């Protein structure tokens, strides 16, 4: 079962069947304790619809990231940091008891699937970074996941 944010509201999909999840604003839906049941009910009883245009899966939420996880990434970031005199910063993050958490974007910076990316005109070194994105509700419960593509300007 898949869940999408669309111009028609929240839409569920199972196989080739698409259905609107009734009375479901995105923020309210992902925070609903019966999220799974509500989506399953929509798929079971709701009238089918044609495939909608999918929007970014974010409304009032923010995008946060969890720090350096790969040794190779740590080494590369340390080399980049040497210029600013902070070469041990990423080494500290890598060996910390918990990952570094940092703010990435609000909804206005998140692009829907298949839409054009807006890159900085002053950057010549833009690196795509495929990421696992978790959808977390206000109770800190993971209620969904998707794939994201974080673009970082390295210069």
């Amino acid at each position: 079962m898949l869940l999408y944010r669309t111009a028609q509201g929240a839409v569920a999909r199972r196989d080739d069947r698409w259905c609107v999840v009734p009375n479901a604003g995105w923020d309210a839906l992902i925070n609903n304790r019966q999220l799974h049941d509500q989506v399953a009910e929509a798929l079971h009883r709701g009238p089918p619809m044609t495939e909608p245009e999918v929007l970014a899966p974010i409304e009032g939420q923010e995008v946060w990231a969890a720090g350096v996880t790969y040794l190779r990434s740590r080494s590369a970031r340390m080399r980049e940091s040497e210029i600013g005199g902070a070469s041990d910063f990423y080494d500290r993050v890598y060996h910390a008891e918990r990952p570094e958490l940092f703010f990435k974007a609000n909804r206005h910076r998140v692009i829907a699937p298949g839409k054009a990316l807006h890159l900085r005109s002053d950057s010549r070194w833009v690196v795509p970074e495929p990421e696992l994105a978790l959808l977390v509700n206000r109770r800190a419960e993971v209620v969904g996941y998707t794939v994201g593509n974080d673009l970082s300007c390295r210069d």
Side-chain angles (χ1 to χ4, degrees), residues 7 9 58 111 131 133:
I58 187 170
I111 306 298
E131 308 279 358

Side-chain angles (χ1 to χ4, degrees), residues 130-133 145-149:
E131 308 279 358
L132 172 64
Y145 60 91
T146 189
V147 175
N149 190 4

Side-chain angles (χ1 to χ4, degrees), residues 58-117:
I58 187 170
E59 194 172 71
Q61 299 77 39
E62 297 173 335
V63 178
W64 286 74
V68 178
T69 55
Y70 299 106
L71 181 59
R72 185 174 184 170
S73 177
R74 181 196 73 162
S75 300
R77 301 300 78 76
M78 286 174 66
R79 279 193 303 279
E80 292 169 5
S81 302
E82 285 176 4
I83 296 169
S87 61
D88 69 335
F89 174 76
Y90 285 97
D91 194 42
R92 291 181 195 182
V93 170
Y94 189 80
H95 292 291
E97 289 183 30
R98 65 170 183 82
E100 174 191 26
L101 300 176
F102 50 96
F103 177 75
K104 291 296 286 185
N106 58 28
R107 77 177 189 161
H108 303 292
R109 297 280 185 199
V110 179
I111 306 298
K115 298 297 180 187
L117 300 173

Side-chain angles (χ1 to χ4, degrees), residues 9 13 15 26 52 60 101:
R13 185 184 101 191
D15 301 322
W26 190 255
L101 300 176

Side-chain angles (χ1 to χ4, degrees), residues 30 35 132-146:
I30 66 167
L35 168 64
L132 172 64
L134 304 177
L135 182 58
V136 180
N137 67 19
R138 67 175 64 134
R139 292 177 301 281
E141 300 165 334
V142 176
V143 296
Y145 60 91
T146 189

